[in-house]
Amino acid sequence: MKILILTGSPHKKGTSNTLVSEFKKGAVEAGHQVEIYDCAHGNLHPCLGCDACGMNGKCIQKDEGNQVLAKILESDLIVFATPIYYFGMSAQLKMMIDRFYAQNGNITRKHMKAILLTTAWNDDEIVMKGIKTHFEIIFDYLDFQNAGMILAKGAGTVGMMPRKYLEEAYSLGRNL
Ligand SMILES: Cc1cc2nc3c(=O)[nH]c(=O)nc-3n(C[C@H](O)[C@H](O)[C@H](O)COP(=O)(O)O)c2cc1C
């Protein structure tokens, strides 16, 4: 499978990117082709809502967004990786998801697989409630098949992240 991972953390070696590394290790070992696009450090700007794309064309923003959209359309699986920011995904990742608008129909028609990897400092029940529901709705809307979600609670730093989440991320990639 061709896998595109969209990451949304400003911490290149932080918790969500550590889950990404474990997932990637497993997926590469299983023979998949994996590419990562770093939404937090790439040249990306927000959707302007101008509708120049008509939800079916090129975005007028002169940045890397159109290239990422082209990569998505060549992929079989998208992995979304983000820290929890105020009970949701980071703005860095959301910025790229909003840019899906320019290729909304083509992305939906691909019936891709999708995975969510996310990390939060807190360990209580409520911390993952919003993001889980949000991504379930996004996956449903874009006709993505939910291939797994790792919701790592009590994972505020790499040192405090429970080991089970690293093992889960590796297994998810290895057993795709
Ligand atoms: C702006 C901001 C908002 C945050 N909001 C939450 C939150 O709502 N709940 C929580 O448990 N942790 C929250 N955190 C902590 C991060 O989710 C947590 O430290 C995470 O492991 C960081 O991931 P990273 O290392 O991949 O960047 C927040 C951190 C920042 C910087």
Side-chain angles (χ1 to χ4, degrees):
M1 263 199 297
K2 273 190 158 184
I3 302 172
L4 179 66
I5 305 180
L6 300 177
T7 64
S9 171
H11 303 128
K12 290 189 177 178
K13 293 191 171 165
T15 56
S16 52
N17 281 319
T18 300
L19 289 185
V20 165
S21 300
E22 288 302 308
F23 172 86
K24 183 180 173 190
K25 196 163 110 192
V28 168
E29 278 177 25
H32 301 290
Q33 198 182 315
V34 182
E35 195 174 337
I36 297 176
Y37 181 77
D38 181 347
C39 302
H41 297 94
N43 175 16
L44 271 188
H45 296 86
C47 172
L48 296 171
C50 66
D51 255 322
C53 64
M55 291 183 86
N56 185 27
K58 238 182 140 180
C59 177
I60 59 158
Q61 290 278 27
K62 304 246 177 304
D63 60 13
E64 292 167 357
N66 283 311
Q67 289 160 249
V68 180
L69 290 170
K71 282 182 199 296
I72 290 170
L73 294 175
E74 289 168 3
S75 302
D76 307 296
L77 164 67
I78 311 188
V79 179
F80 299 93
T82 177
I84 292 287
Y85 281 1
Y86 290 89
F87 304 96
M89 74 181 90
S90 70
Q92 291 88 332
L93 178 62
K94 184 64 162 52
M95 184 161 57
M96 189 59 228
I97 293 180
D98 289 349
R99 297 286 296 277
F100 285 15
Y101 190 81
Q103 291 289 342
N104 198 84
N106 289 330
I107 291 173
T108 305
R109 278 188 286 278
K110 279 215 71 183
H111 309 297
M112 301 175 66
K113 291 183 177 172
I115 282 175
L116 170 65
L117 306 176
T118 187
T119 53
W121 190 288
N122 292 338
D123 190 23
D124 46 40
E125 274 311 303
I126 198 123
V127 75
M128 294 297 181
K129 202 175 164 187
I131 197 162
K132 182 170 178 284
T133 304
H134 194 181
F135 271 92
E136 281 169 354
I137 293 168
I138 290 173
F139 288 0
D140 205 33
Y141 173 69
L142 291 173
D143 225 337
F144 289 167
Q145 182 194 325
N146 186 343
M149 290 188 174
I150 296 186
L151 312 172
K153 300 188 291 178
T157 63
V158 175
M160 74 188 262
M161 180 149 60
R163 233 203 113 64
K164 65 172 180 178
Y165 294 124
L166 301 177
E167 289 161 4
E168 279 176 26
Y170 170 79
S171 300
L172 192 56
R174 190 76 183 77
N175 298 308
L176 282 169

